[in-house]
Amino acid sequence: MHLSAIKLRGFKSFPEPVEVRLERGVAVVVGPNGSGKSNVSDALLWASGSLSPSELRAEKPDDVLFAGAAGRPAADWCEVELLFDNADGQFTELEFSEIAITRRLHRGGEGQYLVNKATVRRTDLVELLADVGLGGGHSSVIGQGRVEEILSSKPEQRRALLEEAA
Amino acid sequence: MHLSAIKLRGFKSFPEPVEVRLERGVAVVVGPNGSGKSNVSDALLWASGSLSPSELRAEKPDDVLFAGAAGRPAADWCEVELLFDNADGQFTELEFSEIAITRRLHRGGEGQYLVNKATVRRTDLVELLADVGLGGGHSSVIGQGRVEEILSSKPEQRRALLEEAA
Amino acid sequence: VERRFEETFGAVQQHFADVAETLFPGGEGRLRLSEPDEDGPDDGSEPGVEIELRPAGKRVTKLSLLSGGEKALGAISFLFALFLARPCPFYLLDEVEAALDDTNIGRFVELLRRYADRAQFIVITHQKRTMEAADSLYGVTMGADGVSQLVSRRVPRASRQAAVA
Amino acid sequence: VERRFEETFGAVQQHFADVAETLFPGGEGRLRLSEPDEDGPDDGSEPGVEIELRPAGKRVTKLSLLSGGEKALGAISFLFALFLARPCPFYLLDEVEAALDDTNIGRFVELLRRYADRAQFIVITHQKRTMEAADSLYGVTMGADGVSQLVSRRVPRASRQAAVA
Ligand SMILES: Nc1ncnc2c1ncn2[C@@H]1O[C@H](COP(=O)(O)OP(=O)(O)OP(=O)(O)O)[C@@H](O)[C@H]1O
Ligand SMILES: Nc1ncnc2c1ncn2[C@@H]1O[C@H](COP(=O)(O)OP(=O)(O)OP(=O)(O)O)[C@@H](O)[C@H]1O
Ligand SMILES: [Mg+2]
Ligand SMILES: [Mg+2]
């Protein structure tokens, strides 16, 4: 199961539609301070259903909407799509070979979730991702400045990480 | 007022007496991971009277005593000396041109503080350092991984920093 | 469920020791379950997971006393141990090597290359040495217009054949 | 005391704007006192110190949304502003530039050199570029015996004459 693309529009510093096509192998994202690298990571967490703005360095849900810049107004809505290549059939309930998970947000509104263009409830989306080993505490995404938490955490918390993985 | 030397013995990874002679100008301390750079910073904080083991990455006060290594037993006591060059007369109460501040600890015992070889109470030492603009919240020592705290702190906490400096 | 935890823990424990051997050459790392009342007010029912690290040439060191780089290496060891025992399809690591010196970044890169075919690693970094792990590079920039741009290119890895040969 | 705080704040505010100009060229930073009930359950008696940063080309950004490197630059600006307003005799900075890319490390180094004669800076780092700030280098190593060793040498700064000329 391979994450083949992340598409963003109106999300944080990506007002225009941008597609990150992920090839096979190790992908290394580079760039200067403040260029937008961690924003891509936030987009991935957000699209997988994050309900905690602080997890995305935001204070309110609408903070992830492009806030405007020189000569460009703020975005009214944003959307992030995660494209999974299901060639190995790991997503068992669905019989698609490609799965597009989309989250959309209108300023001041509720979020919207779609799987292959069909609207779903957030719980369905989270369950689908969990079946394939994603979501569930996001132990597969390590945010900037957070790597040492595993060592400073309590033994009980680490046990919880293992139980989740088990 | 210039910190002209830090002398350590038995402190963390410095079992033998070691002297860091600090020349005028910018001092840059380099070395591989785990070599002992931050331990020198801990020594400085400890010698200035730190009562909080966690500030020195320790759990108990005795944790700063050299714990032993291959073929070398643990230290029974440790000592750190800070040598200040008072050529500009900033230490007003004392008429010395050089001031040696020493802290000593015996395993399982109480700490001992000395100024120019004379035993003093910790409060005297802290007051002396405060008069010269040191100690007091240690705002002049920024520990590893802690630089962002200023930004993530509350506005009231930053005000406190200013009030201390004022 | 209890049985599954034990199996998982056994696998993670083994992998942790292996990965720690790569990140702490000459040293060792091990996981163990804590004793019933080791961590203070324990409900006593479920032991926690203790991490012990012994960098090369040193004794087993209390975790808090370890250096910034050593803590990062320990955390990376745990993360990879979890991954090897119970793989997730992808991992996104954002500047996890910020505290590592060049030598240790090299070991981290070696780890990524070793397991590159078992999971999809997406690594965000501002360190040049980490780029050596890449099969593909994604360059993010922001112009004076406050808008992020992205370009990508595949990285030929001829050196890998040489290394494997 | 109230008067002294106001004077101190005024000085720190001015220096913050100046230092931010060096660390965020084309951008700006400013400090202000918070409004009476801006931060929620305020006792109302003492306004807190708010930090606003506007990196080049961007709008004033909520602090939490800033990048790791931008936050570090903002914190360093605040620290230097405090120092310039009310100097302490020495400052020990342990890897404060870990999140900075090479360009920003260069700006940090420029700041250290600019004020090197006004306070004693002791900078711990594992980054090569930061060594360019040094008048003296202190190399710490640990052998297989678990014991730290230290060597030091003075760094001739001929280039500084050229830069000043
Ligand atoms: N909603 C938003 N609208 C517009 N710009 C935003 C928004 N949220 C964040 N940004 C901008 O994105 C920038 C941060 O980007 P990001 O955290 O991805 O940087 P980075 O490449 O990870 O940098 P570093 O190497 O310092 O970690 C900030 O400068 C901020 O101004
Ligand atoms: N009481 C002690 N006795 C012996 N060794 C100790 C003691 N306390 C800490 N150490 C050793 O010191 C090492 C940490 O040193 P320090 O934190 O100074 O490294 P560092 O040079 O700052 O590295 P980094 O670049 O990773 O931050 C640890 O490996 C630890 O084993
Ligand atoms: Mg980042
Ligand atoms: Mg350190």
Side-chain angles (χ1 to χ4, degrees), chain A residues 11-13 31-40 42 57 62-68 144, chain C residues 94-95 124 126 140 142 146 148, chain D residues 55 58-59 61 65-70 99:
Chain A
F11 186 89
K12 289 206 169 189
S13 57
N33 291 136
S35 56
K37 309 182 291 298
S38 299
N39 289 348
V40 175
D42 295 336
R57 292 173 292 154
D62 281 5
D63 284 347
V64 302
L65 292 160
F66 174 70
Q144 190 165 3
Chain C
D94 194 344
E95 310 232 4
I124 299 176
H126 72 263
V140 185
M142 188 182 285
S148 292
Chain D
K58 306 177 188 182
R59 296 195 178 171
T61 304
L65 289 171
L66 289 174
S67 82
E70 289 167 335

Side-chain angles (χ1 to χ4, degrees), chain C residues 155-163:
Chain C
V155 176
R157 294 201 62 97
S159 53
R160 196 171 12 155
Q161 320 291 28

Side-chain angles (χ1 to χ4, degrees), chain A residues 39-63:
Chain A
N39 289 348
V40 175
S41 171
D42 295 336
L44 202 153
L45 281 177
W46 186 75
S48 352
S50 166
L51 289 179
S52 147
S54 63
E55 194 177 35
L56 314 174
R57 292 173 292 154
E59 288 167 11
K60 315 193 304 310
D62 281 5
D63 284 347

Side-chain angles (χ1 to χ4, degrees), chain B residues 38 144, chain C residues 67-68, chain D residues 94-95:
Chain B
S38 299
Q144 191 165 0
Chain C
S67 82
Chain D
D94 194 345
E95 309 231 4

Side-chain angles (χ1 to χ4, degrees), chain A residues 1-4 21-29, chain C residues 89-91 112-123 132-138 153-155 157 160:
Chain A
M1 222 280 298
H2 171 72
L3 175 65
S4 52
R21 291 219 68 87
L22 293 166
E23 308 277 341
R24 300 270 158 187
V26 178
V28 179
V29 182
Chain C
F90 72 79
Y91 291 86
L112 289 169
R113 293 308 319 164
R114 185 184 304 166
Y115 300 119
D117 52 0
R118 288 218 234 166
Q120 180 177 4
F121 292 112
I122 305 166
V123 178
E132 292 170 20
D135 288 301
S136 305
L137 276 175
Y138 299 82
R153 63 183 180 85
R154 198 122 183 90
V155 176
R157 294 201 62 97
R160 196 171 12 155

Side-chain angles (χ1 to χ4, degrees), chain B residues 29-52:
Chain B
V29 182
V30 294
N33 291 136
S35 56
K37 307 181 292 298
S38 299
N39 290 347
V40 174
S41 170
D42 294 336
L44 202 154
L45 281 176
W46 185 76
S48 350
S50 164
L51 289 179
S52 147

Side-chain angles (χ1 to χ4, degrees), chain C residues 26-94:
Chain C
E28 57 179 322
R30 84 188 184 94
L31 296 184
R32 61 181 179 81
L33 293 172
S34 50
E35 304 308 320
D37 44 38
E38 180 171 339
D39 302 313
D42 207 7
D43 51 62
S45 55
E46 305 206 311
V49 176
E50 298 284 350
I51 298 176
E52 289 184 359
L53 291 168
R54 192 182 64 68
K58 305 177 189 184
R59 297 195 177 168
V60 172
T61 305
K62 278 191 195 181
L63 290 185
S64 62
L65 290 171
L66 289 173
S67 82
E70 288 167 336
K71 282 173 180 159
L73 289 172
I76 292 167
S77 301
F78 192 83
L79 178 73
F80 270 78
L82 269 183
F83 147 58
L84 290 167
R86 296 286 180 268
C88 291
F90 72 79
Y91 291 86
L92 199 154
L93 312 175
D94 194 344

